[in-house]
Amino acid sequence: MLSLFKNQAFRRFFYGLLFDDASMMVSPMLQGWIVLIQTDSAFWVGATAGVSGVGMTLFSPLAGVLIDRYNRKILLVVTQAIQIVLVAILGIAAFYELLEVWHVLGYGFCAGAFHAVRLPCKMAMTLDLVGPKNLLKGTAANFFSMTVMGVLAPLAGGWLIDREIYLGFALMLISLLVSSSIFLNLKNIKSPEISGSSHLEDLVYGAKYVAKNTLVRSLILAILVTEIFGWAVEAMLPVIARDELGLDARGLGVLMSVGALGAAISTVIMTAMPDVENKGKLVIYGLFGFGFGLIAFAFSDVLLLSMILLAFAYGSGVIYESGLSTLLQTSVPDGMRGRVLSFQSLCWGFSGSAGFHAGAIAAILGAPIAVAAGGVVVIMNAIRIAKNMISIGAKVASGK
C-alpha cells in the first residue's frame, strides 16, 4: 500500500477520504445514541439505521448515472457542502436542546442519499488514480481509511457525545470541512465523456446491463444478501452495548473502534501480502469468517471476548468486501463503472434498511438473536455461492 502514496494525487485523495470517513463513522453512532436515549426502543434505533438505508437505496441508481457523466470531484464536494449545512443545523438544535427524533430520522435519510453518491464516486476515483494493476491495493487503502477512522472517530465521538450531544455534531462538521477543502485542491481530475443519451436512458441501460450480465449479477446478489442480513449488526450495536454489555456512549465508541481495528488489521495484511490471483476465494473465506464471528459475538456477554469477536467479524467483512469490489470493477467497461458501482452502494443501502427487520426482531426476541440470525444467513449463502464465486474469480483472473 505504501507504494501507492508515491502518487501525489492519490496521497491527497486518501487524506480527504480520512476526514470524510471520520464523519461517516460518527454519524450512525450519534444518531443511534440520540434515538436510544429519547425512545428507549430497539425498534426505533433499528428504524433510524433503516431510514438512512432507504435514502441510500433510492438514490444509488441515479448516483451511478451522475458518476458516469460528471466530474467526480465536483460530485464529492457538492454533496459534502449540503451535508455541512444540515449537520450545522442539527448541531445548533442540539445545543439549544430542540433536537427531536424526527429531525434525526430526516437527517438519516439525507445522509443515506449523500453516501449513495460519495461511496461509488470514491471507488471509481480510486481506479482512476491507481490503475487496474493496483486496484486491489487501492481498494484496500480505501477500506483502510474507513477502518482507521472507524477506530479513531468513535473513540473521539463517544467521548464528546458523553459530554454533550452537540459536540458530536461539531466533530462531524469539522471533519467534513477539512475533507471538502482537501478534495477541492485535487488536480487533473477529468470528467467522463458525456454520452448523447439522456439521464433516464443511461439509468435504464445500466439496470439492464446488471440484470443481463451473469457475472455482474452474481456479484451484486452476493453483496445484497450479506448487506441485508449480516450488517444488521451495525444497527443493533447501540442496543447490545447498553443492554447486553452495560456500556455508556464512551463504551459504545470503544466497541465500535475495536471492531474497526479488526477491519484495519485485515486491510494492512491484504495490502502487504502478494496479490491473490483468485479473488473469489477471498470472498468465500471472508463470508465464512464474518458469519461465524457474528454468531459468536451475539451470544457473548463478556466485554473483552465480545470485542475480540467483533474485531474478527469486521476483519472478515473487509476481506470479502475488498474481493467483491475488485471483481466488480475489473469485470465491467469504464463507461459502465459508475452505474455498476452504484448498484453496489444500493446494496450497502440495504444494510441500513436491515435496521427495520433487525429492530423488529430485537424488540420481540432480543438484539443478540437478531444479530445471530444474520450470521446464520451469511454462512448459508456462502455455502450456496462458493463454487460459482471461485469460478468467477478464476475467470476474471484469466481475463476471459
Side-chain angles (χ1 to χ4, degrees):
M1 185 171 70
L2 292 176
S3 61
L4 297 178
F5 289 92
K6 296 177 182 178
N7 180 333
Q8 183 180 12
F10 181 79
R11 187 168 67 244
R12 185 172 292 175
F13 173 67
F14 182 80
Y15 296 151
L17 290 181
L18 286 171
F19 287 97
D20 187 60
D21 289 337
S23 173
M24 185 173 68
M25 295 302 168
V26 172
S27 181
M29 178 179 73
L30 178 57
Q31 294 173 67
W33 195 255
I34 291 170
V35 172
L36 183 61
I37 290 173
Q38 294 200 10
T39 67
D40 196 32
S41 167
F43 172 78
W44 280 109
V45 173
T48 303
V51 168
S52 180
V54 169
M56 181 178 285
T57 301
L58 291 178
F59 280 87
S60 288
L62 175 60
V65 174
L66 297 177
I67 291 165
D68 280 338
R69 294 175 69 99
Y70 301 111
N71 188 291
R72 289 154 185 165
K73 181 184 83 171
I74 300 301
L75 290 174
L76 284 178
V77 173
V78 168
T79 55
Q80 283 183 324
I82 300 171
Q83 189 174 2
I84 285 168
V85 173
L86 294 179
V87 169
I89 292 172
L90 288 185
I92 293 170
F95 181 80
Y96 287 105
E97 299 183 353
L98 301 173
L99 197 61
E100 298 183 16
V101 171
W102 71 269
H103 298 148
V104 178
L105 294 175
Y107 171 77
F109 179 84
C110 294
F114 300 145
H115 293 317
V117 177
R118 291 218 291 276
L119 288 173
C121 198
K122 290 186 288 189
M123 288 190 294
M125 286 181 70
T126 299
L127 179 56
D128 293 338
L129 292 170
V130 305
K133 282 190 175 182
N134 290 314
L135 181 58
L136 180 60
K137 291 185 177 181
T139 301
N142 206 324
F143 281 117
F144 184 68
S145 168
M146 284 192 256
T147 55
V148 166
M149 285 299 111
V151 174
L152 300 178
L155 287 175
W159 184 79
L160 292 170
I161 294 166
D162 195 51
R163 279 154 178 72
E164 296 289 349
I165 291 295
Y166 70 83
L167 292 177
F169 288 109
L171 177 59
M172 289 179 59
L173 184 63
I174 293 169
S175 299
L176 285 167
L177 286 169
V178 173
S179 177
S180 185
S181 66
I182 294 173
F183 285 144
L184 276 171
N185 284 304
L186 285 173
K187 307 295 183 184
N188 301 319
I189 304 297
K190 297 179 181 179
S191 301
E193 294 183 9
I194 301 293
S195 67
S197 55
S198 69
H199 291 72
L200 180 59
E201 288 171 332
D202 282 352
L203 178 61
V204 172
Y205 183 75
K208 287 182 178 179
Y209 178 86
V210 171
K212 292 180 178 179
N213 189 307
T214 304
L215 189 152
V216 173
R217 187 174 68 243
S218 297
L219 294 172
I220 292 294
L221 288 175
I223 298 169
L224 182 62
V225 173
T226 309
E227 295 297 326
I228 290 176
F229 296 99
W231 287 106
V233 63
E234 293 185 314
M236 292 295 99
L237 275 184
V239 181
I240 288 178
R242 192 191 71 169
D243 297 346
E244 304 299 327
L245 299 174
L247 302 175
D248 57 13
R250 282 180 292 180
L252 171 61
V254 172
L255 186 65
M256 292 178 67
S257 294
V258 171
L261 180 61
I265 292 171
S266 286
T267 56
V268 170
I269 292 172
M270 281 192 295
T271 54
M273 70 182 186
D275 189 38
V276 178
E277 186 174 343
N278 190 324
K279 308 298 190 299
K281 292 181 179 179
L282 271 183
V283 173
I284 298 304
Y285 297 153
L287 286 174
F288 276 114
F290 185 49
F292 282 114
L294 288 178
I295 294 170
F297 168 74
F299 294 112
S300 169
D301 57 3
V302 178
L303 180 57
L304 180 59
L305 179 60
S306 295
M307 289 179 170
I308 293 171
L309 292 170
L310 187 64
F312 175 77
Y314 276 31
S316 300
V318 165
I319 291 172
Y320 94 77
E321 290 272 16
S322 296
L324 276 171
S325 293
T326 303
L327 287 173
L328 202 57
Q329 291 216 59
T330 52
S331 302
V332 300
D334 287 344
M336 289 299 303
R337 196 153 29 101
R339 276 164 285 182
V340 170
L341 288 175
S342 74
F343 278 89
Q344 183 177 9
S345 66
L346 181 148
C347 294
W348 287 343
F350 278 101
S351 70
S353 302
F356 287 119
H357 69 73
I361 294 172
I364 300 170
L365 301 174
I369 297 296
V371 172
V376 170
V377 174
V378 169
I379 293 170
M380 292 175 62
N381 188 53
I383 295 171
R384 182 184 67 85
I385 67 174
K387 184 176 179 180
N388 185 42
M389 193 58 57
I390 292 172
S391 175
I392 289 173
K395 183 178 180 180
V396 173
S398 65
K400 294 180 180 179

